[in-house]
Amino acid sequence: KNELFLAFSSRLYYTNVKYIMKDNNFFYSPIHMRSYFSLLQGCLSPEELCDYGCEHNFPAIGMIDINNMYGLTRFLEAARRRGIKPVTGASIRLGGQELFTAYIINREGFSRLCSIISNVLLYENPYIKTADRISYDPVADLLANGWAGLCLVSDNLPLVQRLALHGKKELYVKLTWGKSFIREVRWARQQGLPVMALNTAVVRAHSMENKKDTFLYHLLRAIDTNTTIGNLCEKEQLYPYQRIAG
């Protein structure tokens, strides 16, 4: 039971990873919620995320956007005003593929993640000629310089195995909420790595809010993929695990 790790306890601004258990049950905290700062891939504001957390008495709330922390200041302020613990970090993607999620533990981790994000955005900047771009591999960077101050989570098993060569501290195998993860759990046990269950939530679970959020999310995905809502391909549709549990 200590392998499944569903919640974070955080200090204001920086996070402290803990198991939160009582009477053999886990306290649920959604710590992988995407805001509208993930352009065309999120539809909720930092304030709406914190409001939702307060309404459901979550002990903590986490905002994880794609290759950015643009909403960090608003998120921290909203969490402070509502008395909820903030968990923050970023989902690192390269070439459209998610590599890992990095959660911030302390100031060193914040600086480290800013550096990684800056290099990723510079590498993928469409206004820089391909010939002038500097090659950048976030995983190679982590192997060379470590990830002190960060907690890394990924369901890319070859990537996790590669990172484990550097060390297993603050390295977790991701279990995607709503999907089968038997293979990942078995593999993690063999490697001696802990697991973390997460769901990439982008809409709220309430019926009325969910209907509005779902329409907006599908509209954003249609704009991004240059199609209509009715013609969205299956992979762009909203999955059940992308709804914040209530």
Side-chain angles (χ1 to χ4, degrees), residues 146-161:
W147 53 88
L150 293 174
C151 171
L152 304 182
V153 190
S154 177
D155 58 4
N156 184 324
L157 301 187
L159 183 151
V160 175
Q161 189 169 38

Side-chain angles (χ1 to χ4, degrees), residues 81-97:
R81 288 179 178 276
R82 292 157 179 79
I84 192 167
K85 295 179 180 179
V87 178
T88 189
S91 172
I92 301 302
R93 295 189 182 186
L94 201 65
Q97 298 297 314

Side-chain angles (χ1 to χ4, degrees), residues 13-24:
Y13 191 57
Y14 301 110
T15 63
N16 237 352
V17 180
K18 288 184 180 180
Y19 295 100
I20 304 177
M21 298 183 66
K22 184 178 181 182
D23 299 326
N24 296 321

